[in-house]
Amino acid sequence: MTSTPPPTADGTTRVLWRWTDRTPDAAARARIALICALDQFGCGGEALEDAVLAASELVANALEHAPGPYEMRLRCTTAGLICEVVDRDPRIPVVPAFPAVAPFGPDPKKRGGGVDALLEVLGERGRGLHIVHQLTSGAWGFAARRREGLKLAWMAIPRT
């Protein structure tokens, strides 16, 4: 097995992983590809864990909401790394509002709560972009490349 040199801050975009909706364990394999690339870059610890979790949410969203094939890309800049998850739907999704407080905290404007409020907080769906927002400190977004028929969900990974 040969070792590839770590990426340099030249702005080059490298494709880490390509998959389709029929690729077995696509999300897990995308995470492994990102872990290997970040390890080569020297990223570790909490920064690596946060980046992998956030990227995993972007991959899951692409698989659920957009047609493939898909790609995970990594671009190295002087400020850090940009991870992109690319799909074949150029429409930018509606991004939920992000509260100034943690998304799972109580809303002081609402009275009550109880079981309904707890179930809303613990719901299995609809928290992915909130997770990405928290893990990236808001350094993420979408870009459409309509001529190419692509959408990029991107997130920044700061230099450690």
Side-chain angles (χ1 to χ4, degrees):
M1 182 196 277
T2 60
S3 175
T4 57
T8 58
D10 60 6
T12 302
T13 300
R14 293 160 181 83
V15 175
L16 300 181
W17 178 247
R18 288 187 176 114
W19 71 96
T20 69
D21 57 353
R22 293 185 178 160
T23 302
D25 302 319
R29 294 167 83 180
R31 284 191 300 272
I32 291 168
L34 183 59
I35 289 168
C36 291
L38 293 178
D39 182 60
Q40 286 182 353
F41 189 73
C43 193
E46 190 175 327
L48 183 137
E49 292 170 10
D50 288 352
V52 170
L53 180 55
S56 184
E57 292 294 338
L58 296 179
V59 167
N61 281 349
L63 284 166
E64 183 174 345
H65 300 291
Y70 313 92
E71 289 182 348
M72 178 180 281
R73 301 173 180 174
L74 194 61
R75 186 165 26 101
C76 192
T77 69
T78 55
L81 298 167
I82 306 294
C83 179
E84 302 170 342
V85 176
V86 182
D87 63 53
R88 301 307 185 263
D89 182 357
R91 296 175 296 166
I92 301 294
V94 175
V95 177
F98 295 102
V101 296
F104 307 114
D107 184 346
K109 296 177 189 169
K110 292 184 180 178
R111 296 183 59 114
V115 174
D116 289 336
L118 180 61
L119 290 175
E120 183 178 305
V121 167
L122 297 177
E124 289 294 321
R125 305 190 44 78
R127 297 184 300 184
L129 294 180
H130 284 280
I131 292 169
V132 171
H133 188 77
Q134 292 285 34
L135 293 172
T136 64
S137 300
W140 68 280
F142 293 100
R145 296 202 174 147
R146 296 194 193 289
R147 279 189 226 137
E148 300 170 56
L150 302 176
K151 172 177 66 252
L152 289 79
W154 64 269
M155 58 175 233
I157 306 167
R159 287 196 181 273
T160 54

